[in-house]
Amino acid sequence: MRVVSGIDLVVIGADGGPDRGFGGSANAAAGARLFADVLPGMCFDAGSAGCRVDVLEPGADANTMLTAVREAAGEDVLVALVEHGLVDGAGDGVGDLRWQSLPVPTGNTFEWDAESTYVRKPPYFEGMAKTPSPVTDITGARVLAKLGDSVTTDHISPAGNIKPGTPAAQYLTANGVEKRDFNSYGSRRGNHEVMIRGTFANIRLRNQIAPGTEGGYTRDFTQADAPVSFIYDASQNYQAAGIPLVVLAGKEYGSGSSRDWAAKGTALLGVKAVIAESYERIHRSNLIGMGVLPLQFPEGQNAESLGLTGEETFSFTGVTELNEGRTPATVKVKAVGADGTSTEFDAVVRIDTPGEADYYRNGGILQYVLRSLIG
């Protein structure tokens, strides 16, 4: 229960959105939350006689909503709700003066602000041809991360506060953002520059190829003696050298919420394939949607049983069968260590449907949809 301007009132945010029903997520003064697909407005009077509910029909205008609030709970409650921003007191449905004074761009397409650190034009379609290039095998790949079991999407793409000193913080500082204004990864998810730097940056992530570290660290095999480095910095060196990347993981890779940036960030770091013991269903599909190949270790095997340390160079052959309109059941994986010893195994291809195969052939679902639209 929240006390709004001294009135003993339970204020509930009711909406039909996909977000979870956390108290305070609709409005800081709304301590409860309901899903209401067909009930766009509700007014609750927490009086001693019980709870009065007014249901507004879909499409009700602002004046109708204000009237319902006034009749259900009284003028004093209406005033309190207006003061807390829960109801627009203007009643005209056009917002307050601050909203009305915002500049409105002209034109038929969105005008990206090159100076914004919150919303930037993403690179998903850069260099995209009208027709997709043939799928290729993956050669010369290095391991960006070797992870254990139950790595969640929050380990892969955290939503929490941006830690000073990290690549995301360095980027914001370089763009004139003060430390107090760093905010969170979740709030800056419209800026791919922040989110790439935040991928695998969870402070509790343990990358087994950088033992003794916790957070977004790896070893950079493009440098002499493969020093420990931020994952983002290493990925930039790998991409500059034209070296594809792979992630090794254990069971239930990508568990937790279906966070889209866990797949987007992975792809933008230059990861071309993930090999895991098992996947969370949605994250596996999201990887394909971003053009990343999800592979699975043979039944009963994993990185440890195969003797993989993460220091090997990987090649994947048989992927090109997708160019023939077929999805291979397995691909041949060869991992060659620094001493020349090699390990070979057949990894299960986790492209599970014909639709997913089409997404992968196009480099991802975004490219597939755009090409479908332009015909």
Side-chain angles (χ1 to χ4, degrees), residues 181-314:
D181 297 322
F182 282 174
N183 214 323
S184 66
Y185 289 107
S187 69
R188 293 189 181 272
R189 59 188 174 189
N191 184 347
H192 63 281
E193 296 287 3
V194 172
M195 299 306 290
I196 299 171
R197 289 164 171 81
T199 304
F200 296 111
N202 186 294
I203 60 174
R204 292 291 177 260
L205 184 78
R206 293 184 178 180
N207 188 351
Q208 295 172 13
I209 63 173
T213 66
E214 196 170 35
Y217 297 96
T218 188
R219 290 175 64 198
D220 185 352
F221 291 97
T222 69
Q223 308 296 309
D225 299 323
V228 172
S229 167
F230 282 122
I231 282 178
Y232 171 78
D233 293 342
S235 80
Q236 295 304 291
N237 290 336
Y238 284 122
Q239 292 188 70
I243 298 173
L245 295 171
V246 60
V247 170
L248 305 179
K251 300 181 180 69
E252 299 176 342
Y253 182 70
S255 57
S257 63
S258 55
R259 193 166 296 174
D260 60 340
W261 264 108
K264 290 178 181 177
T266 297
L268 292 176
L269 283 176
V271 174
K272 301 301 181 184
V274 176
I275 316 176
E277 289 185 68
S278 64
Y279 291 89
E280 191 280 331
R281 175 180 58 86
I282 298 176
H283 183 63
R284 179 200 60 79
S285 181
N286 284 349
L287 287 172
I288 297 168
M290 290 306 300
V292 178
L293 181 63
L295 301 173
Q296 197 159 307
F297 286 109
E299 182 69 28
Q301 294 187 329
N302 55 33
E304 283 66 38
S305 67
L306 291 166
L308 301 175
T309 66
E311 299 182 10
E312 301 86 359
T313 300
F314 283 75

Side-chain angles (χ1 to χ4, degrees), residues 44-189:
F44 287 81
D45 178 13
S48 59
C51 183
R52 171 173 170 171
V53 181
D54 280 10
V55 178
L56 305 182
E57 295 299 326
D61 60 27
N63 285 316
T64 302
M65 296 181 73
L66 287 173
T67 299
V69 172
R70 184 180 290 108
E71 292 180 353
E75 189 70 29
D76 53 349
V77 171
L78 175 60
V79 171
L81 294 177
V82 171
E83 288 177 353
H84 283 75
L86 292 166
V87 175
D88 179 10
D92 54 13
V94 297
D96 60 17
L97 291 177
R98 290 174 298 175
W99 177 260
Q100 295 178 48
S101 65
L102 291 174
V104 180
T106 58
N108 296 324
T109 58
F110 183 79
E111 294 186 11
W112 300 96
D113 181 359
E115 303 301 318
S116 176
T117 57
Y118 276 97
V119 180
R120 294 182 65 85
K121 184 179 180 180
Y124 306 128
F125 301 118
E126 290 181 1
M128 191 190 90
K130 189 173 181 179
T131 56
S133 301
V135 170
T136 62
D137 289 335
I138 302 169
T139 59
R142 299 304 298 245
V143 175
L144 184 65
K146 180 174 180 283
L147 307 171
D149 295 339
S150 301
V151 171
T152 70
T153 51
D154 193 72
H155 286 111
I156 304 168
S157 183
N161 290 338
I162 296 171
K163 183 181 178 181
T166 59
Q170 294 169 4
Y171 164 82
L172 292 172
T173 299
N175 282 273
V177 179
E178 298 290 338
K179 176 182 175 182
R180 65 177 181 272
D181 297 322
F182 282 174
N183 214 323
S184 66
Y185 289 107
S187 69
R188 293 189 181 272
R189 59 188 174 189

